[in-house]
Amino acid sequence: MKKRMIVLTLAAMAAFAGQAFAHSPLMSCFDNGDNTITCEGGFSDGSSAAGVKMHVRDGDGKSILEANMNDDSECTFDKPAGAYVVIFDAGEGHTVELNGADIIE
Amino acid sequence: MSPRNLLVALAGQPNCGKSTVFNMLTGARQHVANYPGVTVEKKTGFFDLDDTHVELVDLPGTYSLTSYSLEERVARDFLLGDLPSVVIDVADGANLKRNLYLTLQLLEMEVPTVLNLNMMDVVERRGQRVDVAKLQEILGTPVVPTKAKKGEGKEALKAAVKSLVGKAHGPVYKIDYGQLEDHISELEAVLVEDPVLSVQYPVRWFAIKLLEGDAGVTELLTGTHLDAQKVFDRVESCRQRFHKEEGHACERHIAFTRHGSCAKIIRETVTFPEEKRRNLSDRADRYVCNRLLGPLILIAILFVLYEISIVFGNWLALQIWPLWGALESFAGDVLPQAGFLNDPILRSLGLWVVKSITAILNYLPIFFLLFSLIAVLEDSGYMPRMAFILDRLFRRFGLHGQSTLPMILGGVYVGGCAIPGVMATKAIPDERARLATIMIVPMMNCLAKVPLYLILIGAYFSDVAGSTMFFIATVTLFMALPVAKILSITVLKKRPSAPFIMEMPPYHVPTISGVLRRAIERVWLFMKKIVTVVAAVAVVVFVLINYPGLTDSRKAHYEDMQDAAVAAFMADVGRTGFKDEIGSEDVLPIILFGEAIRDAKRAVTDQDRAALIDAEFQEENPAYYAVARRVGKDGKALNKSLKKVIRVRKQIRREARAERFETSFLGTMGRALEPVTQWAGFNWRINIALLSAFAAKENSAATLGSIYGIDGSDQSVQESMKAGEGGFTPLHALALMLFMALYPPCVPASIMVRSQSNSTKWMLFSIGYQTLLGLFVASLVFTGGTVLGLTGVQAMWGFYALCVATTLIMAMIPTPEEKEAVVASNITQVNTIALKEE
């Protein structure tokens, strides 16, 4: 009985390995008007996002830029020509996506 | 108590429909607080009885009135201390025999009792018949049948309450304890001599409780009686003589007799249908409590619970965040303006407090979902079944079947948060197990610990990353279980522990309104409590990480940097048409103006709306606008120059903050701890990172990042850490990971511990023992590993084996209950037998 319990408990724990963070990732992006975009990252508990990964993908889903948030939790990059998506990637279940069309000047 | 103001208490066992009766009597006129000094909820409502204003207090649901659980003690203390004029005892009419157990105890306490036979609709549906008149005659107290769900019987219940007020009530049912009666009389004679006690408490009840060995009453006697020792000696002699004569303990005899009396009354008053079919609940239990299926169903339910409350809850939290974000920007607007290098204290402290509070408010959707789901589990009747399924395993470690939920929520594998975990311990009825659970939940792997694990694994265990993650994810459970056991046989030994009474209420379909009401009540209670405490703690932490502050020479250094940046900007201004409009005192306002435009446009996705915002700002100050938004040739040129100033401002603010932090009280502590932490392989830099993590776990990664100076582009944290700490080995990393795993809960979780254990002492204890344990384990692994010449991987699995072995050994050591096996198991058996018969 007890052994079966332990096995089942372990199985349950494996099932719960799904990633979920109890603090929310946050990102806002701004068009600087000089053909550059600046994105600010952070977490709902006020933690810095310094070093967190950033991706930019074009309309076809191809990655066109990979960078990290700098010490100020910011990342500035040249505005892509066509459609694009900015992804703030702090780990599985912990990403924010922003559509380029929603980033206005 | 004046005749126009009446205090009435509502008692009853769990799942008897007490809340429905409460709502039926009071309607919407109710409010929820906590009983003073404990975390048990106190629900109060009002109703009118002719011209009398009645205050109705809903006592916590209890099976009995001994002093095992907190709920029982709260209920009993209320009956003894607040002296309600009438007690309405709500009983599940369909399970009357079990419910009478509480009724007889109320009568024994000599409180004026109205027995309310609720759920009469279920009784009728099952074809049972209750002879109410006969029952009333036997008990000597009013008996009122109701169908509270349909609102039937409200007036009769009120009338019965009224009939008891102010009247000397006649003789009520007395349990005949048979062979014990002589001993009861003997003690009564002793107790009557005490002038205070005999007035304050019913003497017969007191004598029976003493013979029962009830801890609460023993305490009462010590506090009230002038010569308590004399009474105790007499009690002990009675108990021993009885045991010698009858061959079993007094408490066993008392419990048996009570159950026997209940059965006897039922035989005389209730007729059951001829064919006693197994009802739906019993049939469902054959699967739900099945040895093989039960755990599987439990896992499935917990999985759904976790997915909804944590995973979906997080998504929901993110959707609601803009609301809290708006609160932050509102605070930013009303507080004094930011400075170039330093902000006014009112601003920085104000923002810090607001941010600390919004960080907690961010959990609100998770809590709401969690409380709703827990209410569903409670109302449906699944909670006791869950406890039943896991209790045998958890009991061995001083925990309770219901410890499962808090541990899962805290992150028993990887992924959770200690705050909802500690919060969920509320449901555990056994105080010792509840405290033990509160103490180990923060040791689970909340996801805030994961960034640090990932950094360290990436840097030092990259070739065995998968198995290292498995190690750290599971080893915490093998550390937590022995710790729970050790705590429960040491510091928690004296805490009351409830004998595990296996009571399976029939399944109910929870009502939406009931679930929502409970969830909202609890969320509201949580908010009121946590927000005030968080605000207070935030101020303390603010002082610890900001003071004593920078030295004058460092301040001057940063001011020089600021002046140089401003001067360069002003030189550029001189070359443009703005040279008469913009002076050096305008630099900071322009920067803040630009930030204000940004904030105004945050989350705006509509170009027309953005243009409108632009127009407003342009009207407000055309020159500032031109620079901030690159209008015209001069605007473009100056915007470029302004960006340099902004970069310098951010840089010096960041560096000054890091420097302030390192030289702060907390930073100084980090250095002072180096001699101790060197055994665990931690230097002062790591100490500081760990101390800052106490404010919020996520900070550890960020602080390590800023200490090792990531520049954001080419070097990752693990690379810069490797570069920054040349002598660091996998053993260091392992020690650090284990310390992090055992590390005290972050500030919000500690506050939760304080709130759930209702004691600052337990909060400090939990912080203290986890720190010491973490240091001990880290030192053991680091120093031990170094002495034995182990590699990181060898030390890791060696430690794992040690933990598993400790867990198994701990499972063998008998718990305090097992030592008192004779007493406890007898009582449990008595109860179990009685309940199974139904």
Side-chain angles (χ1 to χ4, degrees), chain B residues 9 24 62 70 92 102 132 168 235 241 317 323 399 472 499 521 551 557 571 584 593 651 670 701 720 733 771-772 793:
Chain B
M24 176 177 82
T62 57
L70 198 58
D92 172 359
L102 181 70
V132 175
V235 172
R241 269 181 287 148
L323 198 68
L399 298 173
I472 197 71
E521 273 169 6
T551 61
H557 163 77
S584 58
F593 189 79
Q651 183 199 345
S720 26
T771 310
L772 291 179
V793 176

Side-chain angles (χ1 to χ4, degrees), chain B residues 679-730:
Chain B
W679 300 104
F682 306 160
N683 58 27
W684 67 270
R685 278 189 294 270
I686 295 185
N687 289 348
I688 291 180
L690 292 173
L691 284 173
S692 87
F694 181 61
K697 283 265 159 39
E698 290 82 357
N699 285 350
S700 59
T703 313
L704 277 178
S706 67
I707 287 171
Y708 295 110
I710 357 155
D711 46 22
S713 48
D714 47 0
Q715 247 191 345
S716 65
V717 189
Q718 47 255 54
E719 282 163 344
S720 26
M721 187 167 169
K722 260 186 162 165
E725 294 287 353
F728 232 62
T729 63

Side-chain angles (χ1 to χ4, degrees), chain A residues 25-99:
Chain A
L26 307 165
M27 177 174 70
S28 350
C29 294
F30 305 92
D31 188 330
N32 298 318
D34 56 355
N35 250 331
T36 60
I37 304 284
T38 297
C39 293
E40 295 173 356
F43 295 97
S44 57
D45 65 347
S47 294
S48 155
V52 169
K53 266 194 225 123
M54 292 271 312
H55 307 281
V56 181
R57 291 204 190 112
D58 65 9
D60 305 327
K62 218 169 67 202
S63 181
I64 48 177
L65 178 87
E66 280 193 21
N68 294 59
M69 286 282 179
N70 70 13
D71 280 1
D72 295 319
S73 281
E74 281 183 3
C75 182
T76 302
F77 54 90
D78 290 339
K79 185 174 177 175
Y84 65 99
V85 179
V86 187
I87 299 141
F88 175 84
D89 181 8
E92 197 190 326
H94 207 186
T95 58
V96 185
E97 284 192 19
L98 259 181
N99 196 330

